[in-house]
Amino acid sequence: MGSSSHASTGTLDKSRFANPFFTREGWLYFAILAVLILVVFPLTLDAFRLNNVGKYLTYAFVALGLVLCWGHSGILSLGQGIFFGLGGYCMAMFLKLEASSPENTAIQSTPGIPDFMDWNQITELPWFWAPFHSFGFTLIAIVAVPMILAFVIGFAMFTRRVGGVYFAIITQAIAAILTILIIGQQGYTGGVNGITDLRTLLGWNIRTSEAQFILYFVCAGLLLASLLLCRAVHVSKLGRLVIAIRDKEDRVRFSGYDVAAFKIFVFCFAAGIAAIGGALFTLQVGFMSPTFVGIVPSIEMVIFAAVGGRLSFFGAIYGTLLVNYAKSTFSETFPELWLFAMGGLFIAVVMAFPDGLAGLYHRHVRPHLAKIPGLFDRQSGRGRDVVAQPAE
Amino acid sequence: MNALPATEHAPKEFVLEVEALTVSFDGFKAVDDLSFYVDENEIRVIIGPNGAGKTTVLDLICGRTKASHGSIRFRDRELTRMKEHEIVHAGVGRKFQNPTIYEELTVFENLELSIPRGRTVFGALGFRRDQAVLDRIEEIAEFVFLKDHLKTPSAILSHGQKQWLEIGMLLIQDPSLMMLDEPVAGMSVGERVKTAELLNNIIKDRSVIVIEHDMKFVEDIAHRVTVLHQGKVLSEGSMEHVKNDPKVVEVYLGH
């Protein structure tokens, strides 16, 4: 290793095959994103708009998971709303119990239980609600409940080699079933209205604008941390294996890997990340309802990832922000046309820019930036965050 | 040396014993009561007209297709009841008919993913690209003539190089039985000669089953040849023996 001679075997230059966590270019993109969401947005947006951006950022968690699950591994899930929603519901259950202290609910026929239960003639807290009195349990449940469900779905599907369109349809069906279940079990779930009127987190009023401001930073920080976590998975051997599985599943299987186990892992991982987003959504918006669980939000989240570029973690975040910004501007003016615009956008992206914004950037913008000396380092051509790069 | 017709030897250890193997797809018997035995360090070539069941035999051995009847014993382990990745762990490697490589990844990464280390989910997450990995990849890349292409995206390799890469991906797993489905398809004459040389080098510590149509290449490498026809063994023995077998001549001319 000491010398760099190219004599016989045992001389591969380690640095030529290094696999850095981020290249200098990657860190640059990370820094730009961090400055944008941690400094620029808070300085330039008013409290209402900033809270909106915070809400969009919670969707970006889902989009990050989709990049790994759909873009890299080829597992298209049209049911990520399930996991976003479950994470959100776990958080909402904790907050609701805190808001339903016996003093606050003294006027109910059964004080100490959530108001919607009282309205539905339920007189005792259901067993599965009880553990959500504990904040520690709630934090674990936010990630564990969706991941366990993802494991069950993944195990049932992937060990039977269900994939592609069939898998997408099944996830969508489960999203629909879960929505119906939540709406139908009004006494246990709050039904179609969801779990509302959430006030405090461990005694801290989350509805003040100061709390909203702090929660925005919690959300942004966790998003950046999740991005790094996704990146860590992507640069590991597992990250390359799932790409190999997407492209040549049989070759991976006959190289001695249990393909189903890897797919289950990626699906569970994406579910866990989505669930963190869901929990943060509940905190920032102050309620959770079945509207965020079903088919429409699940498909919207896929569109966010597709617009940003389903192969790029950065792209997914920018795509989410952009589509949601367009959604709120557009739907304020033409509310009934928004869904058509969204559908059109999706078709346009799939037909014309399959790699989304990230693909456009790498094809048209980056080549110009790369000419600036010293901006990207020599190794930056390896940036596999996007599509396969041409040979050096 | 080995190029003798399969005869009744004293009971001995074979690497692979295929006995009474049958598989039927909706009543059609693609492989029908097939038996054959492969020796240590042997290159066995399976030939036969289209639809004879050659690829199906490889599919059965590596677990891609499940047998209806019969047994496949590999070093005293029954493969018919094992999962695909377990069969690989037991030491059976398989190359597909069309070069099957990861086109999005470089030659280096293709080889790296084939290294038999970190094969579980958490093993793969914790896998480190250490010196042993680099040395092993370099060694194999040199063996399959790709050492100067380690950083090349495998999508832009020539067809012949892709075939070599897939052979390298098997070799790096160090299997004791390698199965190659048409390894020289699409190769130039020069590449075929190099591949024959390569195969003769790799059997030093393993057995190889090859499916091939190119008779010149078969003659170059085969220790023994098994001729399949309609899922059954039509003839078996040295190339010389097989070529002069009237049944074989009839089948090939009949097509």
Side-chain angles (χ1 to χ4, degrees), chain B residues 21 60 66-67 69-72 77-82 87:
Chain B
L21 191 64
L60 284 161
K66 291 284 165 225
H69 302 286
S71 95
I72 304 168
R77 298 182 70 178
E78 180 61 46
L79 298 187
T80 47
R81 283 191 289 273
M82 288 162 67
I87 294 174

Side-chain angles (χ1 to χ4, degrees), chain A residues 252-277:
Chain A
V252 178
R253 183 169 290 130
F254 292 107
S255 298
Y257 296 98
D258 183 0
V259 167
F262 288 88
K263 290 188 172 181
I264 293 169
F265 172 82
V266 170
F267 188 54
C268 289
F269 184 85
I273 298 269
I276 297 172

Side-chain angles (χ1 to χ4, degrees), chain A residues 237 240 250-251 257 384, chain B residues 64 109 112-113 117:
Chain A
K237 177 174 157 184
R240 270 160 279 143
D250 258 352
R251 183 65 274 161
Y257 296 98
R384 252 207 281 90
Chain B
R64 199 183 196 197
E109 290 168 325
E112 185 184 46
L113 288 190
R117 225 178 75 187

Side-chain angles (χ1 to χ4, degrees), chain B residues 51-67:
Chain B
K54 303 182 295 287
T55 299
T56 309
V57 171
L58 297 199
D59 283 347
L60 284 161
I61 296 172
C62 73
R64 199 183 196 197
T65 304
K66 291 284 165 225

Side-chain angles (χ1 to χ4, degrees), chain A residues 9 18 26 53 79 89 112 126 137 171 193 236 248 303 307 356 367:
Chain A
T9 52
V53 172
Y89 266 98
F137 175 88
T171 51
N193 299 320
S236 75
K248 293 279 156 56
I303 296 177
V307 169

Side-chain angles (χ1 to χ4, degrees), chain A residues 116-351:
Chain A
F116 60 83
M117 290 184 186
D118 199 56
W119 304 333
N120 284 278
Q121 283 82 48
I122 287 175
T123 52
E124 202 184 346
L125 193 67
W127 61 269
F128 63 90
W129 270 76
F132 286 92
H133 277 297
S134 152
F135 188 55
F137 175 88
T138 304
L139 287 184
I140 294 168
I142 283 168
V143 185
V145 170
M147 282 178 88
I148 290 168
L149 179 63
F151 180 85
V152 171
I153 298 171
F155 188 84
M157 297 298 121
F158 298 136
T159 54
R160 287 180 179 79
R161 313 252 164 109
V162 176
V165 180
Y166 300 100
F167 183 78
I169 291 170
I170 284 165
T171 51
Q172 191 161 87
I174 294 169
I177 290 166
L178 192 66
T179 316
I180 293 165
L181 189 73
I182 291 172
I183 294 174
Q185 297 300 314
Q186 196 171 317
Y188 299 115
T189 62
V192 74
N193 299 320
I195 300 179
T196 55
D197 203 16
L198 309 173
R199 297 165 198 171
T200 56
L201 174 74
L202 299 171
W204 177 49
N205 188 346
I206 57 170
R207 296 195 289 196
T208 65
S209 57
E210 184 200 347
Q212 295 286 323
F213 193 68
I214 292 168
L215 283 173
Y216 171 85
F217 283 99
V218 172
C219 178
L222 281 172
L223 181 66
L224 292 173
S226 300
L227 180 111
L228 294 180
L229 187 64
C230 287
R231 179 78 196 168
V233 171
H234 177 57
V235 297
S236 75
K237 177 174 157 184
L238 188 140
R240 270 160 279 143
L241 260 176
V242 294
I243 293 174
I245 289 174
R246 178 193 67 192
D247 293 344
K248 293 279 156 56
E249 183 166 330
D250 258 352
R251 183 65 274 161
V252 178
R253 183 169 290 130
F254 292 107
S255 298
Y257 296 98
D258 183 0
V259 167
F262 288 88
K263 290 188 172 181
I264 293 169
F265 172 82
V266 170
F267 188 54
C268 289
F269 184 85
I273 298 269
I276 297 172
L280 290 163
F281 178 92
T282 302
L283 275 178
Q284 292 184 93
V285 180
F287 75 99
M288 190 69 212
S289 87
T291 348
F292 304 102
V293 176
I295 291 176
V296 173
S298 295
I299 291 179
E300 277 186 340
M301 288 163 189
V302 170
I303 296 177
F304 302 157
V307 169
R310 66 199 162 106
L311 296 169
S312 163
F313 296 123
F314 291 110
I317 294 176
Y318 289 117
T320 309
L321 287 174
L322 205 71
V323 175
N324 279 291
Y325 173 74
K327 179 180 179 174
S328 48
T329 341
F330 201 90
S331 56
E332 275 164 21
T333 339
F334 313 101
E336 63 286 357
L337 286 179
W338 166 245
L339 278 179
F340 292 100
M342 185 89 143
L345 183 68
F346 188 47
I347 293 170
V349 166
V350 170
M351 303 290 286

